[in-house]
Amino acid sequence: MFKYSLISAFLLLFASIGYAVEIDISSSSSICAAAKLVQEGMWNYYEGFRPGGVIGMFAAPNYWWNAGEAFGGLVDYFTFCDPNNKTLEAWIHDGMYHQAGENYNYIPSNQSMTEGNDDQGVWGMAIMEAVERNFTNPDSHSWLELSQAIFNTMNARWDTAHCGGGLRWQIFTWNSGYNYKNSISNGCLFHLAARLARYTGNGTVYIETAENVWQWMNDVKFLTEEANGNFRVYDGAEIDDNCTKVTDLRWSYTYGVFMTGCAYLYNFTGEEIWKTRTEEIVDASLDYFFANGIMQETTCQPSRLCNNDQRSFRSLFSRCLGLTMLIIPELEGQIRPYLETSAAAAARSCSGGTDQITCGENWSAAVWDGVYGLGEQMSALEVMMSLVVREPLSVATGGSNRSDFSAGMNQADAENKNKLKITTKDKAGAGALTAIVLIILLGGAVWMVF
Ligand SMILES: *[C@@H]1O[C@H](CO)[C@@H](O)[C@H](O)[C@H]1NC(C)=O
Ligand SMILES: *[C@@H]1O[C@H](CO)[C@@H](O)[C@H](O)[C@H]1NC(C)=O
Ligand SMILES: *[C@@H]1O[C@H](CO)[C@@H](O)[C@H](O)[C@H]1NC(C)=O
Ligand SMILES: *[C@@H]1O[C@H](CO)[C@@H](O)[C@H](O)[C@H]1NC(C)=O
Ligand SMILES: *[C@@H]1O[C@H](CO)[C@@H](O)[C@H](O)[C@H]1NC(C)=O
Ligand SMILES: *[C@@H]1O[C@H](CO)[C@@H](O)[C@H](O)[C@H]1NC(C)=O
Ligand SMILES: *[C@@H]1O[C@H](CO)[C@@H](O)[C@H](O)[C@H]1NC(C)=O
Ligand SMILES: *[C@@H]1O[C@H](CO)[C@@H](O)[C@H](O)[C@H]1NC(C)=O
């Protein structure tokens, strides 16, 4: 609160009646013109252009996972709005490839103080976007192989010793949250399984995994299947109580990853149950995460308590809604009006900063609300892109088939069992970092999910 109001007061001094970003939501070229400005705002936070900066990373307070979020949206922007821009293609390609890590599984050793299963999973969503958009492959590994490595290393961490199954939030024992199991980590595994099954046309391991995740989420009551907008996915629970004390917070991106996973599973299996589940999640999402048709992060935004991570969740949520209505076209009539209203509102919020194209957090405000950051830029970008993206490719429709179903498994002993080599100094660093981050970012806010 304090931080926001200070920043707002400061920046509003410099804000004047700006150009803002205008869009005609019925025109792809108009949306792309707006998306271009919003996307350029994202690159302002990019570290890869700075002397000594790391390729593939965005400036603090953004973490490694936020870069994964960002690149997924940028792949779509490149593919559908600026596909002949070789410079942009190289920025995105190099950024995504650079963070693949020593073992090409998106577990770079120098992120072991911050990387959780959800972080690896969100990077997985970006790499999967590259797969489905036929984005130029690296020479050493295809994006598909890299996605398969992410899936396999995540799946190998499935932990039956506590709560009857599930992924923990954290990969590494020394990170705070290691004893917590959460819906977003498991949702990412579910989501990647569904997309890989559809893309490769080979459901052997993927379908079984997706079904297991869904069943386990039900068993521990992290989700409850109900119609009429009453479907719920909650945040997670501690293993100390065998996951019985569920933290009942709802986040848009968690709804998004499960919704889209169900849609892909319906498309791949043809089983009606996955369509029904998709519809239940869509109903609940449109009910809870929108006010007057405009998307918001309802659990924290009205009380102005969203932290840096939470302020970015709508980017993935928008992407997932867009994919869902492409995979199940019958849902387009229901979903699209919400995305159109939200995209127009988001554009109106992009009138801030000295560049006058900085996007805000409150899309209902009709002007920039003084909040700014990578999360605001990419949420605005993705809600716009959700209106222009087209159906994802698969091998059956001409996508690349450079595939490795056991990618990442040869490192199973090293990474999957949380035994990455790490010095005591790094561990102390991780503890201190966690503490500092908790104090700075969260204040009195909801701490459970950051
Ligand atoms: C490629 O895209 C970037 C980012 O929008 C832009 O700065 C650059 O001018 C574009 N290049 C061309 C040749 O259009
Ligand atoms: C971390 O590792 C990557 C390669 O995996 C490297 O490019 C980067 O410079 C390293 N340092 C930081 C701070 O990310
Ligand atoms: C822990 O939770 C799991 C999943 O709900 C359940 O199957 C198991 O029986 C529980 N274990 C104990 C000791 O209560
Ligand atoms: C899955 O998607 C393909 C391609 O759009 C479509 O032809 C097929 O009918 C879909 N299957 C189902 C069950 O919806
Ligand atoms: C967002 O803006 C609307 C319209 O001005 C206002 O009613 C609402 O209270 C604002 N929300 C927040 C969290 O500031
Ligand atoms: C995918 O990209 C490759 C390499 O650029 C190209 O040869 C192929 O035609 C593309 N496939 C589709 C379906 O666009
Ligand atoms: C894709 O590759 C696998 C393994 O190399 C092969 O079995 C399969 O037939 C290929 N599918 C297509 C559509 O080319
Ligand atoms: C299908 O996936 C399984 C398990 O991932 C793998 O062992 C098998 O080789 C794959 N089949 C084809 C035809 O690629």
Side-chain angles (χ1 to χ4, degrees):
M1 283 275 267
F2 179 66
K3 192 175 130 212
Y4 288 163
S5 48
L6 252 188
I7 291 169
S8 313
F10 181 72
L11 282 168
L12 282 171
L13 286 175
F14 293 92
S16 53
I17 297 154
Y19 309 101
V21 172
E22 307 258 336
I23 56 172
D24 167 4
I25 39 127
S26 63
S27 151
S28 290
S29 60
S30 168
I31 295 171
C32 281
K36 176 176 168 62
L37 300 176
V38 172
Q39 164 264 153
E40 282 173 352
M42 287 169 69
W43 292 109
N44 288 337
Y45 295 95
Y46 192 53
E47 284 286 297
F49 299 149
R50 294 182 197 179
V54 176
I55 295 170
M57 291 288 283
F58 289 81
N62 298 295
Y63 281 92
W64 182 75
W65 89 275
N66 297 110
E69 268 184 301
F71 284 114
L74 290 168
V75 165
D76 278 349
Y77 170 74
F78 166 78
T79 305
F80 296 105
C81 292
D82 200 5
N84 299 318
N85 186 330
K86 295 289 172 203
T87 309
L88 180 63
E89 182 181 28
W91 292 347
I92 299 170
H93 174 282
D94 294 354
M96 291 197 302
Y97 187 60
H98 205 78
Q99 293 301 324
E102 300 84 342
N103 297 315
Y104 300 97
N105 54 11
Y106 288 85
I107 316 172
S109 61
N110 61 14
Q111 290 299 334
S112 59
M113 298 191 302
T114 73
E115 182 176 355
N117 277 302
D118 47 357
D119 306 332
Q120 191 189 11
V122 166
W123 267 99
M125 291 172 69
I127 305 307
M128 199 63 218
E129 207 70 24
V131 173
E132 291 176 345
R133 302 311 188 194
N134 199 32
F135 188 72
T136 307
N137 279 298
D139 295 331
S140 75
H141 297 72
S142 67
W143 298 120
L144 176 56
E145 291 169 321
L146 294 167
S147 302
Q148 290 170 314
I150 293 171
F151 169 84
N152 286 333
T153 50
M154 288 180 75
N155 196 29
R157 292 184 204 110
W158 187 261
D159 166 39
T160 51
H162 305 273
C163 313
L167 291 180
R168 293 169 182 256
W169 176 17
Q170 296 301 329
I171 299 172
F172 300 108
T173 53
W174 52 82
N175 284 327
S176 98
Y178 184 66
N179 287 344
Y180 193 72
K181 291 196 173 179
N182 64 354
S183 296
I184 187 62
S185 295
N186 287 282
C188 286
L189 179 65
F190 174 81
H191 180 97
L192 291 173
R195 286 172 79 166
L196 283 166
R198 177 184 174 278
Y199 185 85
T200 62
N202 180 351
T204 309
V205 170
Y206 302 134
I207 295 300
E208 187 190 346
T209 302
E211 285 172 347
N212 281 345
V213 175
W214 188 270
Q215 183 58 50
W216 177 77
M217 290 285 295
N218 259 301
D219 291 346
V220 291
K221 301 189 170 59
F222 284 10
L223 68 75
T224 57
E225 287 183 44
E226 277 189 60
N228 304 318
N230 293 318
F231 181 98
R232 295 285 181 273
V233 195
Y234 295 122
D235 188 71
E238 296 285 342
I239 64 172
D240 304 340
D241 306 311
N242 197 34
C243 296
T244 52
K245 293 190 182 140
V246 179
T247 307
D248 64 353
L249 301 173
R250 288 174 261 171
W251 305 109
S252 63
Y253 72 153
T254 318
Y255 277 68
V257 297
F258 278 105
M259 174 204 301
T260 307
C262 290
Y264 275 75
L265 288 172
Y266 170 64
N267 185 258
F268 180 73
T269 65
E271 290 168 11
E272 282 298 314
I273 185 69
W274 291 115
K275 186 171 169 223
T276 305
R277 287 167 176 162
T278 311
E279 288 164 351
E280 287 172 356
I281 305 176
V282 168
D283 287 346
S285 297
L286 299 181
D287 197 49
Y288 185 66
F289 296 108
F290 291 81
N292 301 316
I294 296 176
M295 191 185 293
Q296 60 175 20
E297 195 61 44
T298 305
T299 295
C300 56
Q301 196 189 314
S303 50
R304 294 171 172 264
L305 287 174
C306 295
N307 67 29
N308 194 65
D309 283 349
Q310 293 154 359
R311 282 161 43 202
S312 74
F313 290 170
R314 282 177 293 174
S315 67
L316 295 173
F317 181 53
S318 298
R319 192 193 307 166
C320 286
L321 283 164
L323 285 171
T324 299
M325 69 182 188
L326 288 166
I327 297 287
I328 307 184
E330 287 159 76
L331 298 179
E332 184 173 353
Q334 185 185 6
I335 295 172
R336 184 173 274 272
Y338 285 82
L339 291 173
E340 287 180 346
T341 305
S342 298
R348 285 192 291 273
S349 93
C350 297
S351 60
T354 46
D355 53 6
Q356 302 191 332
I357 51 169
T358 293
C359 303
E361 182 186 25
N362 183 355
W363 295 347
S364 297
V367 288
W368 181 54
D369 63 355
V371 183
Y372 66 96
L374 180 64
E376 281 71 33
Q377 287 316 115
M378 60 191 178
S379 295
L381 174 70
E382 296 232 26
V383 75
M384 293 173 187
M385 290 311 302
S386 72
L387 298 171
V388 296
V389 291
R390 289 193 294 274
E391 193 182 319
L393 285 173
S394 65
V395 170
T397 56
S400 149
N401 190 23
R402 188 171 150 198
S403 174
D404 178 0
F405 288 93
S406 58
M409 296 312 283
N410 51 347
Q411 290 115 28
D413 288 337
E415 279 86 18
N416 301 333
K417 300 193 177 120
N418 320 312
K419 275 190 210 145
L420 198 85
K421 272 190 222 131
I422 193 106
T423 64
T424 322
K425 188 167 145 269
D426 287 339
K427 289 192 206 181
L433 191 68
T434 304
I436 291 165
V437 167
L438 273 170
I439 293 161
I440 295 175
L441 283 184
L442 302 169
V446 188
W447 61 272
M448 199 55 84
V449 283
F450 93 92

